[in-house]
Amino acid sequence: MCARSLAVIVCLWFASYLQAAELEWIQVSADGKSFVTAESQQRFVPWGFNYDHDRKSRLLEDYWDKEWQEIEADFAEMKALGANVVRIHIQFGKFMSAPDQPRKEALKKLGDLLELAEQTGLYLDLTGLGCYHKQDVPAWYDALSDQGRWEAQTHFWSAVAKRCAGSPAIFCYDLMNEPVVHGGKKKGTDWLGPGFAGKHFVQRITLSPDERTRPEIAAAWIKTLAQAIREQDSNHLITVGMVPWSLERKGLQSGFVPEKVSAHLDFICVHLYPEKGKVDEAIETLKGFDIGKPLVIEETFPLKSSPEEFEQFMLESRKYAEGWIGFYWGQSLQEYQQGTTISDAIMARWLEFFKQNGPRFKETQ
């Protein structure tokens, strides 16, 4: 383990164990507009990181068996940067050996992760059904019909919810990262959307044409998975990660229209990356997801804008959002500051912004 990892763990060891005892369950406020802690009824503002891969671009299940100390160090560092939520992405193929057979060893490691979150004082946004590495998707899973795939997904979520039901460290279950409904009149051929940086983040929930509207199909899918979770866990919050083109506008649409699919969601999540010269457009898009339930920007980053424009977007987004989740990839702020590339500089500025502005974003508005 590197000196960075050891130093962070030592500095936070005592505080983390105290915080574990104080971790309260999170719920939606009585007025339905924000989040609060269940016992003290204090406002809770999600402020955290997508921990979707490490510095080597590996997914969590690729290294959590042999490099657990690095995960402990990363959690400690995210906590030190001011995070209260970590978004974890777990893969369907790593958790299911057959359509109705969860892998016991994967559920055990998930239990270890829950314990780590409790000890560190961090909540988990647990995003499931990942198929990010196409080579790891089971052939039998891709061969299933629409209905068969939904049934397999209910078994996944039932097993995960059963394992997590008793832990206060779960902030929410995110049913899937960026799902879309098949929109063609002919049967589709690929469950996954185009790749990006070696991973497939967009996933179709259907391939077959259907007489129902796309939002009706999306709402039915959400209801199906939410019911599977609720049979095991009646308390933790449920959401789904929506792409910005979920709104009913001209052009590309996902079928997950917020106001038409949200009956069984506790809050709304959108993934939104402001573009250069289009901060106002990003804010207008964000406004479209503000439908009367708490709204979290579950993914955001200065990917397509200047750091200055991104920070402008973040500040203006406070009019509508109740939470923000950016990115952390297993490297410290100091490492990025000492880096020599443009990407190092961008990441360093983002982490600096995150650390410095956490109190302002998390304070009661």
Side-chain angles (χ1 to χ4, degrees), residues 49-65:
F49 297 110
N50 280 270
Y51 185 55
D52 57 327
H53 62 76
D54 71 349
R55 65 179 67 197
K56 299 176 183 178
S57 200
R58 296 178 301 174
L59 302 176
L60 186 62
E61 297 99 335
D62 293 338
Y63 60 95
W64 68 355
D65 284 327

Side-chain angles (χ1 to χ4, degrees), residues 302-331:
L303 182 67
K304 303 177 182 180
S305 67
S306 68
E308 293 80 9
E309 288 175 310
F310 176 75
E311 291 168 15
Q312 177 190 350
F313 164 76
M314 288 287 288
L315 294 172
E316 292 186 14
S317 71
R318 298 177 74 204
K319 299 174 185 176
Y320 307 104
E322 289 291 332
W324 298 261
I325 305 178
F327 287 88
Y328 171 87
W329 294 312
Q331 286 185 247

Side-chain angles (χ1 to χ4, degrees), residues 92-343:
F92 180 90
K94 299 294 186 178
F95 273 75
M96 302 295 292
S97 61
D100 60 350
Q101 294 295 321
R103 299 180 187 272
K104 294 181 180 179
E105 63 274 18
L107 292 171
K108 182 181 183 300
K109 291 304 295 185
L110 179 58
D112 294 341
L113 197 68
L114 291 172
E115 183 177 346
L116 174 60
E118 291 172 10
Q119 292 174 350
T120 314
L122 288 167
Y123 292 93
L124 300 183
D125 171 340
L126 190 59
T127 301
L129 301 176
C131 294
Y132 298 164
H133 286 172
K134 195 169 187 177
Q135 66 272 20
D136 292 337
V137 179
W140 56 259
Y141 185 48
D142 280 345
L144 294 174
S145 65
D146 292 2
Q147 181 179 352
R149 197 168 172 100
W150 288 22
E151 289 176 357
Q153 291 168 354
T154 64
H155 287 295
F156 170 97
W157 271 119
S158 179
V160 169
K162 183 177 181 179
R163 182 63 190 85
C164 298
S167 174
I170 293 292
F171 165 56
C172 70
Y173 301 118
D174 180 337
L175 300 178
M176 181 185 283
N177 184 73
E178 301 183 349
V180 301
V181 181
H182 177 62
K185 296 181 179 180
K186 296 182 179 180
K187 185 177 176 63
T189 59
D190 196 340
W191 292 102
L192 304 182
F196 176 78
K199 295 176 172 57
H200 296 263
F201 296 105
V202 175
Q203 188 174 165
R204 296 177 179 88
I205 64 168
T206 57
L207 286 183
S208 301
D210 196 304
E211 293 181 357
R212 294 172 295 177
T213 67
R214 295 175 76 201
E216 286 174 340
I217 297 169
W221 177 81
I222 290 172
K223 180 180 179 181
T224 298
L225 299 192
Q227 287 179 337
I229 290 172
R230 289 292 177 236
E231 289 176 0
Q232 304 293 339
D233 184 346
S234 60
N235 294 310
H236 289 122
L237 305 178
I238 297 175
T239 190
V240 68
M242 298 183 190
V243 290
W245 33 279
S246 295
L247 302 179
E248 287 187 306
R249 296 175 173 175
K250 291 182 178 181
L252 196 63
Q253 296 182 17
S254 73
F256 281 75
V257 182
E259 63 270 23
K260 294 183 178 181
V261 305
S262 63
H264 293 274
L265 300 178
D266 293 296
F267 65 98
I268 303 299
C269 277
V270 62
H271 301 172
L272 193 52
Y273 300 80
E275 297 184 19
K276 183 177 180 181
K278 298 181 179 180
V279 171
D280 291 344
E281 288 186 25
I283 294 298
E284 190 64 23
T285 295
L286 179 64
K287 184 179 178 180
F289 286 84
D290 186 14
I291 62 170
K293 293 189 175 187
L295 173 58
V296 173
I297 302 176
E298 194 182 38
E299 286 187 19
T300 193
F301 192 72
L303 182 67
K304 303 177 182 180
S305 67
S306 68
E308 293 80 9
E309 288 175 310
F310 176 75
E311 291 168 15
Q312 177 190 350
F313 164 76
M314 288 287 288
L315 294 172
E316 292 186 14
S317 71
R318 298 177 74 204
K319 299 174 185 176
Y320 307 104
E322 289 291 332
W324 298 261
I325 305 178
F327 287 88
Y328 171 87
W329 294 312
Q331 286 185 247
S332 70
L333 171 58
Q334 291 71 26
E335 287 176 300
Y336 283 117
Q337 289 172 331
Q338 295 168 6
T340 59
T341 67
I342 294 176
S343 60

